[in-house]
Amino acid sequence: MGNLAKLAKWLSEAGPVVVFTGAGASTESGLPDFRSAKGLWRRKDPRQLASTMALARNYEEFCRFYRWRIEALLAVQPNRVHRCLAGWEKNGLVSRVVTQNVDGFHQAAGQQVVTELHGTLRQVFCQTCGQVQPAQVFLERTACPECQGRLRPGVVLFGEALPEEAVRQAWQAAETARLLLVIGTSLEVSPANQLPHLTRRAGGKVVLVNAEPTAFDQAADLVLRGQAGEILAGVGRMLN
Ligand code: NAD
């Protein structure tokens, strides 16, 4: 049996599966990822710009960087990876998507149950009064309309802890998943990269869909190397 057929079989047999996505799920939309050859960070250093340090000490450049990312996000759309997963949720094949992405594409494609481990780029909030605004506001002003405090994006910055409730949901989902489908992540960012280990330790299967090798490849039950959109579309055809 080929790998696509194997995944299709496992998806239909495992009961609703948990999906774990990274930046590679969104590259087909035109959003660069962080670490592969064309990744964002080949041009910019994340520790300098997407960090608590930059927010505190280099606010101007921090804002320029995030305005650029918000503009890029607002110009693109979800792709067939997001649409495919939303369709599988409707058909009872997917119970939850846990994502490291901040683009909001899973929800935009209709996914109902989504855990955002690294926050969202769709909103900004005031560091002083906490007031939340749509990300578009940040393109025009960096001062809070309410109190003139500094606005910042709703993403988790390097140097910040992950949101507690999202961690709880993600850990619980990974530990109880009979199958964790991991899509488009280098699995280099901690602690999110612990999720496949949790599933394996609890006796569940882990399937990786990624364009490049990852450190978890040897431990996975199945590795599908290639473009996520093509692979999911192929599996989708077999499920129909
Ligand atoms: P990463 O850049 O470290 O890894 C992405 C992986 O996806 C790479 O291994 C790459 O080979 C693979 N990939 C790229 N395009 C692919 C495709 N079409 N099909 C299959 N695989 C593909 O990304 P990560 O592991 O998610 O890193 C984590 C950090 O990146 C997170 O903190 C996340 O917030 C951030 N990030 C998010 C976005 C977004 O929201 N769209 C974009 C860039 C970075």
Side-chain angles (χ1 to χ4, degrees), residues 67-177:
R67 273 202 296 270
W68 170 68
R69 286 195 64 193
I70 291 167
E71 272 167 4
L73 174 60
L74 296 178
V76 294
Q77 299 295 327
N79 65 55
R80 57 187 169 165
V81 173
H82 310 101
R83 287 193 295 274
C84 204
L85 294 174
W88 291 354
E89 181 183 65
K90 250 191 209 119
N91 296 339
L93 296 177
V94 168
S95 59
R96 176 178 297 277
V97 171
V98 177
T99 188
Q100 298 168 88
N101 294 342
V102 294
D103 52 39
F105 278 164
H106 288 297
Q107 296 92 323
Q111 198 84 36
Q112 300 291 315
V113 185
V114 181
T115 297
E116 291 178 314
L117 272 180
H118 294 165
T120 179
L121 196 53
R122 299 266 169 192
Q123 292 178 334
V124 296
F125 67 90
C126 172
Q127 288 196 91
T128 307
C129 72
Q131 173 91 211
V132 175
Q133 309 279 344
Q136 283 88 339
V137 169
F138 200 65
L139 300 179
E140 274 142 38
R141 57 188 300 157
T142 56
C144 172
E146 299 295 319
C147 76
Q148 304 307 312
R150 284 179 166 183
L151 294 175
R152 58 155 287 181
V155 300
V156 176
L157 300 173
F158 285 91
E160 286 181 329
L162 270 49
E164 262 174 49
E165 177 56 16
V167 169
R168 195 195 60 73
Q169 286 173 5
W171 260 239
Q172 205 236 352
E175 277 169 344
T176 53

Side-chain angles (χ1 to χ4, degrees), residues 8 60 75 101 112 149 189 217:
E60 288 302 308
N101 294 342
Q112 300 291 315
V189 174
D217 284 11

